[in-house]
Amino acid sequence: MYSKITIAGHPIHPMLVGFPIACYTGTLVGFAVYAANGQQFWLNLAIALNIAGVGTALLAALPGIADLAFGVPRRSAAKTVGIAHGSLNVVALGLFGASLAIYATHWDGPATGVTPGLALSAAGLACTLGAGFLGWTLVQDYHVGIRLTPLQESDEQAVQDAQLIHLHRGSHVA
C-alpha cells in the first residue's frame, strides 16, 4: 500500500503533518501563557499559530485523502483505521477553526476570555494526538506509505491478513 501522492518516491502526507501538529501545540501554549500573564504577544502568537495550523492541516489533508481513497484497499482494516485517523483530524480542524473564529478579531485588543481558546485547543490537540497514533498504526501495522523490497512484497498479503498480537497485563499464575 504505497502512497499515491509522492515527491521523488517519498510520500507527501507524512512530510506535511508535522506543521499542523507543531502549530496546534504552539496555539495551546500561546493561550496558556496568555492566560497566565495577559500579555497581548501571547494571544497574537496563539492566533497566528492557529491560522498556520488550520492552513497547513488543510494542505496536509489533500494528499492524505488521496492516499486513503486510492492507496488503501476497500474493506480492509487499514481503510477502517484510515477513516478513523482522518475523522479525528477533521474534528481537530473543526475545534481549532472554532477557536480561530472566536479569537481572530482580538488581534489588536485583549480577548474577552481565554477559557474557550484553552478548551478548544486542548481538545483539538488531544484529537490530533489520537489521530497521530492511528496514523502511525497505518504505517507500522499496515505499511501504508512504505516502499517494500521484492521479498517483503511477496509476504505482504500474509502480513495484511495476520491478526495483531495484543499484550495485556493480567493476573500472573504463581
Side-chain angles (χ1 to χ4, degrees):
M1 288 185 264
Y2 196 63
S3 294
K4 299 300 178 186
I5 310 298
T6 64
I7 295 176
H10 298 285
I12 294 175
H13 179 67
M15 289 184 213
L16 296 177
V17 297
F19 294 103
I21 293 168
C23 291
Y24 285 171
T25 303
T27 299
L28 178 58
V29 169
F31 279 126
V33 176
Y34 177 71
N37 69 16
Q39 293 179 4
Q40 186 67 34
F41 168 83
W42 294 101
L43 177 62
N44 289 355
L45 180 69
I47 294 168
L49 288 172
N50 202 349
I51 292 168
V54 167
T56 57
L58 291 170
L59 186 62
L62 297 175
I65 291 167
D67 286 346
L68 181 63
F70 303 114
V72 179
R74 297 177 201 258
R75 292 183 287 280
S76 67
K79 183 70 96 173
T80 303
V81 173
I83 290 169
H85 167 75
S87 297
L88 274 175
N89 279 315
V90 168
V91 171
L93 179 63
L95 291 165
F96 279 97
S99 174
L100 185 57
I102 293 169
Y103 290 96
T105 58
H106 296 282
W107 185 266
D108 292 325
T112 55
V114 74
T115 303
L118 284 170
L120 290 168
S121 58
L125 190 58
C127 289
T128 300
L129 292 172
F133 174 83
L134 293 173
W136 185 247
T137 299
L138 288 169
V139 173
Q140 182 68 27
D141 295 341
Y142 300 109
H143 304 150
V144 173
I146 303 295
R147 187 177 336 161
L148 302 173
T149 66
L151 178 61
Q152 290 170 324
E153 282 184 24
S154 69
D155 293 335
E156 183 62 8
Q157 192 58 50
V159 169
Q160 295 304 320
D161 293 339
Q163 294 292 321
L164 294 177
I165 298 171
H166 298 282
L167 301 176
H168 300 282
R169 287 184 175 207
S171 61
H172 298 289
V173 177

